[in-house]
PDB file of all heavy atoms in Angstrom:
ATOM      1  N   ASN A  64    -242.683  12.797-127.072  1.00 81.00           N
ATOM      2  CA  ASN A  64    -241.560  13.698-126.581  1.00 81.00           C
ATOM      3  C   ASN A  64    -240.209  12.762-126.248  1.00 81.00           C
ATOM      4  O   ASN A  64    -239.223  13.409-126.374  1.00 81.00           O
ATOM      5  CB  ASN A  64    -241.932  14.196-125.093  1.00 81.00           C
ATOM      6  CG  ASN A  64    -242.202  13.125-124.010  1.00 81.00           C
ATOM      7  OD1 ASN A  64    -241.555  12.008-124.014  1.00 81.00           O
ATOM      8  ND2 ASN A  64    -242.958  13.528-123.023  1.00 81.00           N
ATOM      9  N   GLY A  65    -240.213  11.476-126.201  1.00 85.00           N
ATOM     10  CA  GLY A  65    -238.973  10.669-126.107  1.00 85.00           C
ATOM     11  C   GLY A  65    -238.287  10.779-127.458  1.00 85.00           C
ATOM     12  O   GLY A  65    -236.991  10.698-127.576  1.00 85.00           O
ATOM     13  N   ALA A  66    -238.979  10.820-128.569  1.00 87.00           N
ATOM     14  CA  ALA A  66    -238.382  10.990-129.874  1.00 87.00           C
ATOM     15  C   ALA A  66    -238.198  12.356-130.535  1.00 87.00           C
ATOM     16  O   ALA A  66    -237.218  12.580-131.223  1.00 87.00           O
ATOM     17  CB  ALA A  66    -239.304  10.086-130.937  1.00 87.00           C
ATOM     18  N   GLN A  67    -238.971  13.211-130.151  1.00 82.00           N
ATOM     19  CA  GLN A  67    -239.076  14.574-130.687  1.00 82.00           C
ATOM     20  C   GLN A  67    -238.269  15.543-129.883  1.00 82.00           C
ATOM     21  O   GLN A  67    -238.077  16.749-130.252  1.00 82.00           O
ATOM     22  CB  GLN A  67    -240.411  15.154-130.849  1.00 82.00           C
ATOM     23  CG  GLN A  67    -241.251  14.310-131.857  1.00 82.00           C
ATOM     24  CD  GLN A  67    -242.626  14.661-131.934  1.00 82.00           C
ATOM     25  OE1 GLN A  67    -243.204  15.608-131.196  1.00 82.00           O
ATOM     26  NE2 GLN A  67    -243.482  14.055-132.784  1.00 82.00           N
ATOM     27  N   GLY A  68    -237.759  15.210-128.648  1.00 81.00           N
ATOM     28  CA  GLY A  68    -236.992  16.086-127.754  1.00 81.00           C
ATOM     29  C   GLY A  68    -235.591  16.302-128.276  1.00 81.00           C
ATOM     30  O   GLY A  68    -235.294  16.748-129.336  1.00 81.00           O
ATOM     31  N   ILE A  69    -234.630  15.814-127.398  1.00 83.00           N
ATOM     32  CA  ILE A  69    -233.165  15.915-127.880  1.00 83.00           C
ATOM     33  C   ILE A  69    -232.978  15.135-129.169  1.00 83.00           C
ATOM     34  O   ILE A  69    -232.210  15.708-130.060  1.00 83.00           O
ATOM     35  CB  ILE A  69    -232.302  15.455-126.803  1.00 83.00           C
ATOM     36  CG1 ILE A  69    -232.444  16.299-125.461  1.00 83.00           C
ATOM     37  CG2 ILE A  69    -230.754  15.396-127.101  1.00 83.00           C
ATOM     38  CD1 ILE A  69    -232.128  17.626-125.627  1.00 83.00           C
ATOM     39  N   THR A  70    -233.404  14.035-129.248  1.00 85.00           N
ATOM     40  CA  THR A  70    -233.302  13.243-130.470  1.00 85.00           C
ATOM     41  C   THR A  70    -233.801  13.873-131.769  1.00 85.00           C
ATOM     42  O   THR A  70    -233.083  13.958-132.666  1.00 85.00           O
ATOM     43  CB  THR A  70    -234.068  11.805-130.372  1.00 85.00           C
ATOM     44  OG1 THR A  70    -233.652  11.221-129.182  1.00 85.00           O
ATOM     45  CG2 THR A  70    -233.813  11.051-131.655  1.00 85.00           C
ATOM     46  N   GLY A  71    -235.030  14.479-131.686  1.00 82.00           N
ATOM     47  CA  GLY A  71    -235.589  15.211-132.910  1.00 82.00           C
ATOM     48  C   GLY A  71    -234.821  16.471-133.200  1.00 82.00           C
ATOM     49  O   GLY A  71    -234.646  16.846-134.426  1.00 82.00           O
ATOM     50  N   ARG A  72    -234.341  17.047-132.216  1.00 80.00           N
ATOM     51  CA  ARG A  72    -233.564  18.361-132.397  1.00 80.00           C
ATOM     52  C   ARG A  72    -232.164  18.195-133.008  1.00 80.00           C
ATOM     53  O   ARG A  72    -231.694  18.949-133.626  1.00 80.00           O
ATOM     54  CB  ARG A  72    -233.431  19.120-131.101  1.00 80.00           C
ATOM     55  CG  ARG A  72    -234.728  19.409-130.390  1.00 80.00           C
ATOM     56  CD  ARG A  72    -235.501  20.550-131.058  1.00 80.00           C
ATOM     57  NE  ARG A  72    -236.170  20.176-132.397  1.00 80.00           N
ATOM     58  CZ  ARG A  72    -237.101  19.315-132.586  1.00 80.00           C
ATOM     59  NH1 ARG A  72    -237.587  18.679-131.557  1.00 80.00           N
ATOM     60  NH2 ARG A  72    -237.519  19.072-133.682  1.00 80.00           N
ATOM     61  N   PHE A  73    -231.668  16.922-132.636  1.00 81.00           N
ATOM     62  CA  PHE A  73    -230.226  16.744-133.130  1.00 81.00           C
ATOM     63  C   PHE A  73    -230.164  15.962-134.438  1.00 81.00           C
ATOM     64  O   PHE A  73    -229.153  16.041-135.244  1.00 81.00           O
ATOM     65  CB  PHE A  73    -229.496  15.979-132.027  1.00 81.00           C
ATOM     66  CG  PHE A  73    -229.140  16.756-130.804  1.00 81.00           C
ATOM     67  CD1 PHE A  73    -229.394  18.085-130.809  1.00 81.00           C
ATOM     68  CD2 PHE A  73    -228.402  16.153-129.892  1.00 81.00           C
ATOM     69  CE1 PHE A  73    -229.112  18.780-129.595  1.00 81.00           C
ATOM     70  CE2 PHE A  73    -228.009  16.960-128.716  1.00 81.00           C
ATOM     71  CZ  PHE A  73    -228.356  18.308-128.659  1.00 81.00           C
ATOM     72  N   CYS A  74    -231.032  15.272-134.779  1.00 80.00           N
ATOM     73  CA  CYS A  74    -231.016  14.305-135.960  1.00 80.00           C
ATOM     74  C   CYS A  74    -231.607  14.910-137.199  1.00 80.00           C
ATOM     75  O   CYS A  74    -232.571  15.716-137.156  1.00 80.00           O
ATOM     76  CB  CYS A  74    -231.768  12.922-135.698  1.00 80.00           C
ATOM     77  SG  CYS A  74    -230.910  12.049-134.384  1.00 80.00           S
ATOM     78  N   GLY A  75    -231.058  14.490-138.379  1.00 73.00           N
ATOM     79  CA  GLY A  75    -231.748  14.924-139.658  1.00 73.00           C
ATOM     80  C   GLY A  75    -231.277  16.172-140.230  1.00 73.00           C
ATOM     81  O   GLY A  75    -230.857  17.155-139.454  1.00 73.00           O
ATOM     82  N   TYR A  76    -231.105  16.236-141.594  1.00 77.00           N
ATOM     83  CA  TYR A  76    -230.789  17.520-142.322  1.00 77.00           C
ATOM     84  C   TYR A  76    -229.517  18.075-141.913  1.00 77.00           C
ATOM     85  O   TYR A  76    -229.455  19.240-141.841  1.00 77.00           O
ATOM     86  CB  TYR A  76    -231.937  18.548-142.279  1.00 77.00           C
ATOM     87  CG  TYR A  76    -233.207  17.926-142.579  1.00 77.00           C
ATOM     88  CD1 TYR A  76    -234.255  17.742-141.670  1.00 77.00           C
ATOM     89  CD2 TYR A  76    -233.482  17.729-143.888  1.00 77.00           C
ATOM     90  CE1 TYR A  76    -235.558  17.095-142.041  1.00 77.00           C
ATOM     91  CE2 TYR A  76    -234.861  17.170-144.263  1.00 77.00           C
ATOM     92  CZ  TYR A  76    -235.752  16.957-143.337  1.00 77.00           C
ATOM     93  OH  TYR A  76    -237.004  16.446-143.716  1.00 77.00           O
ATOM     94  N   HIS A  77    -228.413  17.241-141.738  1.00 81.00           N
ATOM     95  CA  HIS A  77    -227.078  17.785-141.645  1.00 81.00           C
ATOM     96  C   HIS A  77    -226.123  16.601-141.923  1.00 81.00           C
ATOM     97  O   HIS A  77    -226.601  15.390-141.935  1.00 81.00           O
ATOM     98  CB  HIS A  77    -226.853  18.386-140.186  1.00 81.00           C
ATOM     99  CG  HIS A  77    -227.095  17.431-139.176  1.00 81.00           C
ATOM    100  ND1 HIS A  77    -226.143  16.448-138.576  1.00 81.00           N
ATOM    101  CD2 HIS A  77    -228.205  17.153-138.409  1.00 81.00           C
ATOM    102  CE1 HIS A  77    -226.692  15.762-137.605  1.00 81.00           C
ATOM    103  NE2 HIS A  77    -227.873  16.219-137.385  1.00 81.00           N
ATOM    104  N   ASN A  78    -224.846  16.859-141.901  1.00 84.00           N
ATOM    105  CA  ASN A  78    -223.815  15.829-142.220  1.00 84.00           C
ATOM    106  C   ASN A  78    -223.030  15.409-140.997  1.00 84.00           C
ATOM    107  O   ASN A  78    -222.243  14.578-141.104  1.00 84.00           O
ATOM    108  CB  ASN A  78    -222.785  16.480-143.258  1.00 84.00           C
ATOM    109  CG  ASN A  78    -223.485  16.759-144.543  1.00 84.00           C
ATOM    110  OD1 ASN A  78    -224.354  15.855-145.011  1.00 84.00           O
ATOM    111  ND2 ASN A  78    -223.122  17.849-145.223  1.00 84.00           N
ATOM    112  N   ASN A  79    -223.467  15.881-139.814  1.00 83.00           N
ATOM    113  CA  ASN A  79    -222.766  15.464-138.602  1.00 83.00           C
ATOM    114  C   ASN A  79    -223.348  14.066-138.249  1.00 83.00           C
ATOM    115  O   ASN A  79    -224.403  13.966-137.737  1.00 83.00           O
ATOM    116  CB  ASN A  79    -222.949  16.443-137.547  1.00 83.00           C
ATOM    117  CG  ASN A  79    -222.336  16.172-136.190  1.00 83.00           C
ATOM    118  OD1 ASN A  79    -221.648  15.161-136.077  1.00 83.00           O
ATOM    119  ND2 ASN A  79    -222.545  17.047-135.087  1.00 83.00           N
ATOM    120  N   ARG A  80    -222.544  12.992-138.443  1.00 83.00           N
ATOM    121  CA  ARG A  80    -222.816  11.765-138.062  1.00 83.00           C
ATOM    122  C   ARG A  80    -221.933  11.067-136.907  1.00 83.00           C
ATOM    123  O   ARG A  80    -221.959   9.967-136.714  1.00 83.00           O
ATOM    124  CB  ARG A  80    -222.794  10.850-139.288  1.00 83.00           C
ATOM    125  CG  ARG A  80    -223.862  11.156-140.267  1.00 83.00           C
ATOM    126  CD  ARG A  80    -225.260  10.818-139.760  1.00 83.00           C
ATOM    127  NE  ARG A  80    -226.323  11.222-140.678  1.00 83.00           N
ATOM    128  CZ  ARG A  80    -227.005  12.328-140.630  1.00 83.00           C
ATOM    129  NH1 ARG A  80    -226.727  13.293-139.866  1.00 83.00           N
ATOM    130  NH2 ARG A  80    -228.031  12.538-141.577  1.00 83.00           N
ATOM    131  N   ASN A  81    -221.041  11.944-136.248  1.00 85.00           N
ATOM    132  CA  ASN A  81    -220.230  11.470-135.275  1.00 85.00           C
ATOM    133  C   ASN A  81    -220.579  11.729-133.919  1.00 85.00           C
ATOM    134  O   ASN A  81    -219.816  11.343-132.886  1.00 85.00           O
ATOM    135  CB  ASN A  81    -218.770  11.945-135.502  1.00 85.00           C
ATOM    136  CG  ASN A  81    -218.145  11.500-136.876  1.00 85.00           C
ATOM    137  OD1 ASN A  81    -218.353  10.460-137.183  1.00 85.00           O
ATOM    138  ND2 ASN A  81    -217.652  12.519-137.548  1.00 85.00           N
TER     139      ASN A  81
END
Side-chain angles (χ1 to χ4, degrees):
N64 63 25
Q67 296 174 358
I69 298 297
T70 307
R72 302 290 64 73
F73 286 2
C74 295
Y76 304 106
H77 60 84
N78 296 319
N79 180 4
R80 292 293 181 265
N81 295 320

